[in-house]
Amino acid sequence: MSPPPRCAFGDFVIERAQQRVLRRDGSTLNLPPRLFKALLLFVDNAGQLLDKDTFMSALWPGLVVDDNSLSQVISGLRRALADDGTGSLFIQTVPRCGFRFVVPVHVLTDDDLPPPPAASRIGAPARPVPAAAPLSSETALAPVIVQIPATGPVPASPAEPTAPPQPLPPPPAPPLRVHRRAALAGVTATAVAAATGVGLWAWRRPAPPGPGGPPFTLAVLPFKPLVAEGRDELLEVGMADSLIAQLSTLPGVVVRSIGSVRRHAGSEQDPLRIARELDVAWVVDGALQRRGDELRVSARLLRVADGSAAWSGSFDQKFTGVFEVQDAIATRVAQMLAPRLGAYEPANGAAPLAGRGGTRNTDAYQLYLAAGRHAQDMRADGLGKSIALYQQALRVDPRYALAWVGLAEAHRRTLFGADALPAQVFEPVALAIQRALAAAPGLAEARTEAAFKMYWYDFDWPGAEREFRLALAANPNVAMARFGLASLLLNQDQVDEGLVQLRTARELDPLSPVLNTLEAAYLLEAGRVPQARARLDRALDIAPRFWLAHSVRGLLHLAAGDNAAGISQLRRAVELADGNSRPTALLATYLARLGHDAEARALLGQLESRSRQRYVPPSSLAAVHTALGDTAAALAALERAFDTRDTRLTFLKDDPRLAPLRSEPRFGALLRKLKMDHFGRGLAPL
């Protein structure tokens, strides 16, 4: 018997002939082919337990693949269906046996409507769909050609030029292609209303979100080069970076960070595929060409749901006018989203999004872009180059607030990337914060760095929380402010809110290996092993050689009782860490716990020898001493950690490696000095 051509489950309808899944509102749930095939396998066998071999033979016939490939498919399908696995709304995991599709499946005929709304599943009655907002002339899909004047304010709407330049056509929409990362990143969250009384499924334009409604999600991709020769890679990323900084302050808009889109720099971009990977509803795509002092730029705002262009424009300008081009694009994108947001009204035709701590000096701007690129890998050599380039940019433009912020962040990263002494880190950080706020008072990114100083160096918990929240009030799209607040809350026994903030930080920067890895570490500590594994798989998919991710993978293996695999992964982390002492201390700690005292003491000796030449975090030594049963030495190391303002002390209360010391009076005294003794149990990462 052939399978039914149409069937429904929950809020979804599958149409086999069209190879598509529809939501109840009529929008398409875009699934890569392998995820679609896995969903069909589940639907055709609803209620039955399917083992691993069934999936392997159906999804990879004739191929040999590892279990991780299946895990990625299952986690990607869960994310697409908004089923994270904790509640098993659709897919139930049966440990060591397989998976089961647990929601009822209904066969539909041509005369059938979809099944009634799954109100009982979400605990709320179905609500009527609001009427769609009327379209204004601003939402026309025809290209808009804008010429930027050499000086003066940027017009809010294009004027008819007397002698228009030959426009650059907007980049053509590339064909939709499937990438394996889409299996993990999920699908777009565009809001599309379903029409009633006009057939089974019909399209409407999105209505404005009501109070407390879902935000609009937006990504700005690195601009493409029009021609390969003579391309300016820094400018391609820099255009996106500047637009992100300007658009991220729009109320009701969630903008993906530059860290997540930077990876897509280059000429072979498929904007719709990337947008779905980043889980956004709108995407800004563009192209540029610089020839000497001449700059030509095109840009467009695409709806991810249907690939249509809501706006497009072209710009010809001197390179010194690059900032006016950025302002104009940001203004036009904001104007296009304004009818849906009900929040943005430009004043007097000017570009109100400009001046968020930026520069108007092209030399400083290019140095700033280069500095950001070198800071990405969190290795000592790259961070050193980054710091030097930020300093050069600031010599060119001392009032470049975002460059001061970048300098502060690069210094802060040396704590973990280069075993830097905290006092030597936070002295220049404090100066950089002061200069950034003097140049741009209230700048959210600068407040974020001020909060990290209070948190990681001053041990001022109330002050840090206040600054993180003020930064987010100024700009809720600063991923590191979300992460800092999350970490602080998790330290202070506010686990539920902390995990929500942590997830939000990662969603703002979904391709950050650091945020994915640290979320995995916290989830592991919370006992949420499947979710931790999914986040870690994502981190290693993004950055296969990231030492911190290999450390967490080692802890996952150890938690599962696979000691050999765990130690192997910890050794791999040491190899990849470029001399960083932290993974060495972690390896020594777990070797001691497993009874390999001789090797653990040898590694401890190496760390102590190194500490006589350069800074090694005393908290790392304390963890190894604790595992070896050297309580007095461990407590002495922790007291030295307090004297040096060791950042790891922020996790002292909850660090599982230090658990044997918690009953010691000296340990309690240290908690009181840190004013941690009144907090309940929280979570600490590795």
Side-chain angles (χ1 to χ4, degrees):
M1 180 179 177
S2 60
R6 297 172 65 247
C7 58
F9 65 91
D11 291 335
F12 302 96
V13 168
I14 297 178
E15 296 185 340
R16 291 177 189 268
Q18 289 79 18
Q19 292 280 297
R20 68 178 180 178
V21 180
L22 298 177
R23 299 183 181 90
R24 176 165 299 281
D25 62 10
S27 62
T28 300
L29 177 64
N30 294 285
L31 293 179
R34 187 162 285 131
L35 266 69
F36 185 79
K37 186 179 289 188
L39 180 58
L40 287 181
L41 188 62
F42 273 126
V43 167
D44 291 342
N45 298 275
Q48 299 180 35
L49 179 64
L50 302 178
D51 60 17
K52 178 184 71 174
D53 293 339
T54 300
F55 285 98
M56 295 297 191
S57 60
L59 302 181
W60 296 277
L63 299 177
V64 178
V65 297
D66 59 16
D67 291 354
N68 183 54
S69 299
L70 177 58
S71 297
Q72 290 185 12
V73 169
I74 299 297
S75 62
L77 189 55
R78 277 177 165 152
R79 180 178 173 87
L81 299 175
D83 179 4
D84 64 4
T86 57
S88 298
L89 297 178
F90 298 105
I91 301 171
Q92 178 189 60
T93 299
V94 181
R96 295 180 296 279
C97 293
F99 304 92
R100 180 184 287 115
F101 201 65
V102 296
V103 70
V105 176
H106 308 275
V107 176
L108 299 179
T109 67
D110 290 341
D111 297 328
D112 284 332
L113 290 173
S120 60
R121 181 167 63 82
I122 60 174
R127 292 176 294 179
V129 178
L135 293 177
S136 68
S137 60
E138 292 291 344
T139 61
L141 301 184
V144 179
I145 308 302
V146 183
Q147 184 178 14
I148 306 301
T151 59
V154 179
S157 60
E160 185 68 23
T162 55
Q166 189 68 21
L168 180 71
L176 182 62
R177 294 173 295 181
V178 175
H179 190 284
R180 70 189 183 92
R181 284 185 179 171
L184 285 176
V187 294
T188 181
T190 309
V192 182
T196 58
V198 194
L200 183 57
W201 300 101
W203 291 99
R204 284 271 187 94
R205 293 187 184 271
F216 279 81
T217 49
L218 173 72
V220 183
L221 302 184
F223 279 41
K224 303 173 186 176
L226 280 172
V227 292
E229 59 272 13
R231 61 179 294 198
D232 191 331
E233 296 183 51
L234 289 178
L235 183 59
E236 293 164 15
V237 175
M239 287 291 290
D241 189 18
S242 297
L243 291 172
I244 288 168
Q246 295 183 38
L247 293 169
S248 64
T249 57
L250 279 177
V253 178
V254 175
V255 186
R256 297 297 183 248
S257 74
I258 186 61
S260 286
V261 303
R262 185 191 299 270
R263 304 167 194 280
H264 300 294
S267 58
E268 296 301 320
Q269 298 183 92
D270 176 349
L272 298 178
R273 175 186 62 77
I274 295 170
R276 293 185 177 98
E277 181 178 342
L278 296 171
D279 197 12
V280 295
W282 299 83
V283 61
V284 175
D285 179 43
L288 59 82
Q289 179 182 6
R290 181 184 178 189
R291 183 173 295 170
D293 290 337
E294 300 297 321
L295 180 66
R296 172 167 283 193
V297 180
S298 72
R300 59 184 179 171
L301 174 65
L302 300 177
R303 292 184 183 88
V304 179
D306 57 9
S308 64
W311 165 80
S312 63
S314 297
F315 310 83
D316 287 276
Q317 182 62 284
K318 295 291 187 183
F319 179 65
T320 52
V322 63
F323 308 111
E324 284 73 24
V325 172
Q326 292 167 352
D327 293 345
I329 296 172
T331 299
R332 289 294 288 160
V333 170
Q335 288 172 335
M336 291 309 304
L337 295 179
R340 298 163 177 82
L341 297 171
Y344 169 74
E345 295 185 6
N348 301 323
L353 301 177
R356 307 281 184 188
T359 184
R360 291 302 199 204
N361 185 292
T362 54
D363 292 334
Y365 178 62
Q366 291 184 93
L367 288 165
Y368 168 82
L369 296 177
R373 182 180 62 185
H374 283 292
Q376 292 305 303
D377 61 2
M378 288 186 66
R379 294 167 64 94
D381 55 347
L383 290 169
K385 292 176 183 176
S386 176
I387 289 169
L389 287 166
Y390 279 128
Q391 290 170 336
Q392 290 181 48
L394 289 164
R395 282 194 287 271
V396 175
D397 182 357
R399 292 190 59 78
Y400 194 170
L402 287 174
W404 283 112
V405 171
L407 180 62
E409 184 175 6
H411 276 296
R412 179 170 57 79
R413 288 186 172 196
T414 63
L415 289 167
F416 300 100
D419 282 342
L421 181 67
Q424 294 177 355
V425 167
F426 283 104
E427 183 176 349
V429 164
L431 175 61
I433 294 167
Q434 181 182 6
R435 296 295 297 271
L437 289 172
L443 184 66
E445 292 86 345
R447 300 201 86 139
T448 298
E449 291 304 316
F452 272 115
K453 178 181 178 294
M454 292 177 178
Y455 180 22
W456 284 358
Y457 188 70
D458 300 332
F459 302 146
D460 178 359
W461 322 124
E465 181 174 355
R466 181 184 66 250
E467 285 300 311
F468 281 131
R469 293 192 185 277
L470 286 171
L472 290 170
N475 184 350
N477 288 306
V478 180
M480 290 313 296
R482 294 277 180 194
F483 168 71
L485 179 60
S487 181
L488 184 67
L489 295 172
L490 290 167
N491 290 162
Q492 297 180 3
D493 69 28
Q494 300 179 58
V495 173
D496 291 340
E497 185 185 354
L499 290 176
V500 169
Q501 293 286 353
L502 190 62
R503 184 181 69 245
T504 304
R506 186 253 306 160
E507 289 171 347
L508 286 168
D509 196 354
L511 297 185
S512 165
V514 175
L515 292 178
N516 276 280
T517 299
L518 290 174
E519 186 178 7
Y522 276 112
L523 289 168
L524 177 60
E525 281 300 303
R528 304 181 185 183
V529 176
Q531 296 97 313
R533 186 173 289 111
R535 291 271 60 81
L536 186 62
D537 288 345
R538 186 62 170 147
L540 287 166
D541 182 44
I542 297 164
R545 295 177 57 82
F546 185 34
W547 67 265
L548 190 62
H550 285 274
S551 295
V552 177
R553 173 164 279 183
L555 297 184
L556 270 168
H557 284 306
L558 290 166
D562 191 347
N563 296 335
I567 293 298
S568 175
Q569 283 294 312
L570 294 182
R571 293 189 193 280
R572 179 63 175 153
V574 172
E575 294 171 5
L576 296 172
D578 194 28
N580 190 314
S581 69
R582 295 174 188 270
T584 301
L586 191 66
L587 172 62
T589 297
Y590 282 93
L591 285 170
R593 285 188 171 189
L594 294 173
H596 303 289
D597 287 14
E599 185 178 359
R601 289 192 182 279
L603 291 172
L604 176 61
Q606 293 175 21
L607 292 172
E608 289 180 327
S609 176
R610 188 188 307 179
S611 71
R612 289 189 283 273
Q613 306 298 322
R614 49 175 289 192
Y615 179 72
V616 172
S619 60
S620 295
L621 303 177
V624 183
H625 282 301
T626 302
L628 289 167
D630 300 334
T631 300
L635 291 168
L638 289 177
E639 288 162 352
R640 291 197 304 276
F642 181 82
D643 293 338
T644 61
R645 319 299 285 183
D646 185 340
T647 303
R648 181 76 199 180
L649 285 186
T650 56
F651 309 115
L652 178 70
K653 174 176 62 68
D654 303 301
D655 192 334
R657 297 176 298 169
L658 303 176
L661 305 179
R662 290 174 186 160
S663 62
E664 295 291 330
R666 291 165 67 186
F667 189 88
L670 190 54
L671 285 178
R672 289 190 291 275
K673 288 173 72 174
L674 289 165
K675 298 181 180 179
M676 288 182 172
D677 53 309
H678 62 287
F679 294 126
R681 290 297 303 276
L683 297 177
L686 76 166

